């Protein structure tokens, strides 16, 4: 048995952040029922983020909503609201990611749900919390990256703000919500108490930067400064960065500059003997390294650095990574099937339980495909 089997999650959420949380719960065994709007469903079904479509809908919907059920009901229709309430009364978890005030207007806010189901764990994600001048702004990933300083941590000094190439704030908020829900499910088991778990994208984005923000305050409020080239961390000195080689790229993490100079046969680096110089003179050190590393291919340098236990790595794209034995042994990709027979490949849960990977063959649900089954469970008939 998976640890969350027999737990029921009623999920009102849409798009990325909270659906990523319910996916984590589903992979751990919970039964997740998505409440979707009839005809249109989750906006993520048709809000394409790429030019690739799977089975008539967006790739992101299929990736993040596998292993779930779909119940298409009109949340403003009295008959459908009755069905939702019957389902909520049985739920262990109710969750959503609407803007503040929306669930109150719909009548499915925490206090209303708690009145019907006192031990429910109620989870919600907002963009900016429930207070403050930004609370009604749209909680979209790029906007949150931009507002919280993340875009000034990437790229080189003269690049301007550079966002991360993934919806990282959505995923972080979803992970935080899943953690909070799991903690409160444990308390519910021990004490039979419910809980309200609130996560905001802005707090998740700030927490993500805990090290950099701590450094900022300790450093007297001095803004971080990226290196002029080969930047990978605004607060770390040379050699930290990614460097071009004769045939690719090489990543170098922390390391002694003189040691690197000896290993790489780069005499110019031997002059930087003081540890402080790795930061104070990081631009000139990186320039020397960048020019020197271009003289040989990546494997040549790895064969020197890896035996010396220098923290380094080849820089791969997905095509090379997916062909590598180190990736294949992870068994990270699974094939899932929808109820109409459509199959697609996607990632599995990254968690292992008792040494076993967690997989599920169930793909994403067709809109409303579980209506008849769920209504029969609630009423004993359709």
């Amino acid at each position: 048995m998976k640890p969350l089997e027999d737990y029921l999650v009623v999920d009102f959420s849409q798009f990325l952040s909270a659906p990523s949380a319910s996916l984590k719960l589903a992979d751990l065994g919970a039964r997740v029922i998505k409440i979707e709007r009839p005809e249109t469903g989750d906006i993520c079904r048709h809000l394409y983020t790429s030019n690739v479509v799977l089975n008539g809908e967006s790739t992101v919907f299929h990736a993040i909503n596998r292993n779930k059920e779909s119940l298409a009901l009109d949340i403003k229709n009295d008959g459908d609201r009755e069905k939702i309430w019957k389902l909520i009364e049985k739920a262990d978890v109710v969750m959503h990611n609407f803007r503040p005030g929306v669930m109150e207007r719909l009548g499915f806010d925490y206090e209303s749900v708690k009145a019907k189901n006192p031990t429910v764990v109620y989870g919600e994600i907002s963009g900016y919390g429930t207070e403050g001048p930004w609370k009604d702004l749209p909680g979209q990933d790029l906007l949150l990256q931009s507002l919280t300083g993340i875009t000034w941590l990437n790229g080189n000094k003269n690049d301007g703000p550079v966002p991360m190439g993934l919806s990282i704030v959505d995923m972080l908020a979803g992970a935080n919500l899943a953690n909070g829900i799991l903690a409160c499910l444990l308390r519910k088991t021990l004490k039979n108490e419910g809980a309200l778990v609130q996560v905001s994208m802005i707090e998740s984005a700030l927490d993500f930067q805990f090290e950099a923000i701590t450094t900022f305050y300790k450093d007297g409020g001095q803004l971080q400064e990226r290196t002029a080239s080969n930047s990978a961390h605004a607060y770390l000195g040379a050699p930290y960065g990614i460097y071009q080689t004769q045939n690719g790229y090489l990543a170098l993490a922390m390391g002694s500059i003189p040691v690197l100079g000896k290993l790489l046969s780069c005499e110019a680096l031997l002059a930087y003997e003081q540890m402080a110089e790795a930061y104070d003179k990081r631009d000139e050190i990186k320039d020397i390294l960048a020019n020197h590393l271009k003289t040989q291919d990546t494997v040549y340098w790895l064969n020197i650095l890896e035996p010396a236990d220098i923290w380094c790595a080849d820089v791969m794209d997905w095509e090379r990574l997916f062909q590598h034995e180190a990736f294949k042994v992870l068994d990270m990709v699974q094939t899932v099937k929808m109820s109409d027979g459509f199959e697609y490949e996607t990632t599995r849960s990254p968690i292992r339980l008792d040494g076993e990977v967690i997989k599920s063959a169930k793909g994403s649900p067709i809109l409303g495909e579980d209506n008849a089954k769920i209504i029969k469970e609630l009423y004993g008939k359709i």
Side-chain angles (χ1 to χ4, degrees):
M1 278 185 70
K2 294 179 180 178
L4 293 186
E5 286 187 24
D6 298 327
Y7 283 86
L8 174 61
V9 178
V10 176
D11 184 8
F12 290 90
S13 63
Q14 301 189 77
F15 208 45
L16 282 177
S17 58
S20 73
S22 62
L23 175 60
K24 295 181 187 302
L25 301 178
D27 279 343
L28 290 170
R31 182 184 184 187
V32 177
I33 298 177
K34 283 180 66 71
I35 305 297
E36 297 193 75
R37 185 181 303 173
E39 297 183 8
T40 57
D42 184 339
I43 58 173
C44 191
R45 287 182 180 270
H46 304 290
L47 188 59
Y48 301 123
T49 56
S50 72
N51 62 349
V52 180
V53 177
L54 288 178
N55 209 18
E57 294 173 326
S58 72
T59 55
V60 66
F61 175 83
H62 291 296
I64 212 163
N65 287 294
R66 59 176 178 78
N67 208 14
K68 302 176 186 179
E69 300 173 38
S70 172
L71 181 61
L73 295 174
D74 183 353
I75 203 169
K76 297 180 181 179
N77 175 277
D78 289 342
D80 284 356
R81 289 175 64 85
E82 178 192 325
K83 297 180 181 70
I84 293 172
W85 276 119
K86 285 185 71 70
L87 192 59
I88 284 175
E89 289 171 3
K90 299 174 178 290
D92 297 287
V93 177
V94 174
M95 55 189 293
H96 73 87
N97 60 345
F98 294 117
R99 295 190 199 188
V102 171
M103 288 300 262
E104 283 79 4
R105 292 196 297 273
L106 294 172
F108 292 101
D109 57 284
Y110 173 59
E111 293 300 331
S112 300
V113 169
K114 181 182 176 183
K116 297 268 190 179
N117 184 345
T119 62
V120 72
V121 176
Y122 189 100
E124 59 184 30
I125 293 179
S126 63
Y128 305 87
T130 59
E131 299 176 331
W134 289 350
K135 68 182 179 63
D136 294 320
L137 293 177
Q140 194 277 331
D141 195 278
L142 178 62
L143 309 185
L144 266 299
Q145 287 194 45
S146 300
L147 285 169
T148 57
I150 290 175
T151 57
W152 289 107
L153 298 175
N154 307 302
N156 294 324
K157 182 176 181 178
N158 297 320
D159 285 344
V162 179
M164 296 186 69
L166 293 169
S167 298
I168 186 68
V169 183
D170 278 308
M171 300 302 104
L172 291 166
N176 288 337
L177 182 64
N179 285 339
I181 288 172
L182 290 171
C184 290
L185 284 177
L186 174 61
R187 188 177 71 178
K188 178 179 178 178
T189 300
L190 297 174
K191 298 184 178 181
N192 199 34
E193 294 179 5
L196 171 62
V197 182
Q198 294 174 295
V199 171
S200 75
M201 294 175 69
I202 191 169
E203 288 165 300
S204 297
L206 293 170
D207 174 69
F208 183 46
Q209 301 173 82
F210 66 93
E211 178 191 6
I213 290 174
T214 302
T215 305
F216 170 80
Y217 279 112
K218 179 62 177 176
D219 198 31
Q222 294 292 316
L223 285 175
Q224 73 281 3
E225 185 172 319
R226 300 166 291 178
T227 52
S229 65
N230 306 94
S231 179
H233 195 297
Y235 283 114
L236 292 182
Y240 205 90
I242 292 177
Y243 299 84
Q244 188 172 0
T245 66
Q246 198 173 73
N247 69 335
Y249 292 88
L250 175 73
L252 286 173
M254 291 77 75
S256 165
I257 303 305
V259 169
L260 276 177
K262 292 176 183 178
L263 287 170
L264 300 174
S265 299
C266 181
E267 291 188 11
L269 292 180
L270 301 179
Y272 300 95
E273 297 178 348
Q274 303 301 316
M275 287 185 60
E277 292 178 304
Y279 187 89
D280 297 337
K281 299 180 180 180
R282 58 184 182 166
D283 278 345
E284 58 187 76
I285 293 172
K286 286 188 172 186
D287 281 342
I288 294 170
L289 259 176
N291 290 324
H292 187 74
L293 291 172
K294 289 177 184 177
T295 62
Q296 298 288 348
D297 64 29
T298 304
V299 172
Y300 177 89
W301 297 124
L302 290 173
N303 287 338
I304 294 172
L305 297 172
E306 286 182 340
D309 199 27
I310 299 297
W311 292 358
C312 60
D314 194 353
V315 180
M316 296 189 180
D317 56 21
W318 289 336
E319 185 175 33
R320 290 181 59 213
L321 171 65
F322 295 165
Q323 295 302 316
H324 201 286
E325 182 60 28
F327 173 79
K328 293 178 181 178
V329 75
L330 295 174
D331 192 21
M332 195 65 205
V333 176
Q334 62 180 350
T335 300
V336 297
K337 180 185 286 188
M338 297 176 63
S339 61
D340 63 0
F342 183 83
E343 294 183 347
Y344 59 97
E345 291 178 302
T346 187
T347 54
R348 61 162 174 83
S349 169
I351 298 170
R352 293 174 184 252
L353 294 176
D354 300 321
E356 299 294 325
V357 300
I358 299 176
K359 288 191 175 183
S360 172
K362 178 178 170 57
S364 51
I366 295 170
L367 178 60
E369 76 168 68
D370 300 290
N371 275 45
K373 177 184 70 175
I374 294 170
I375 291 171
K376 186 175 182 179
E377 291 175 1
L378 291 175
Y379 294 95
K381 61 181 180 180
I382 300 176

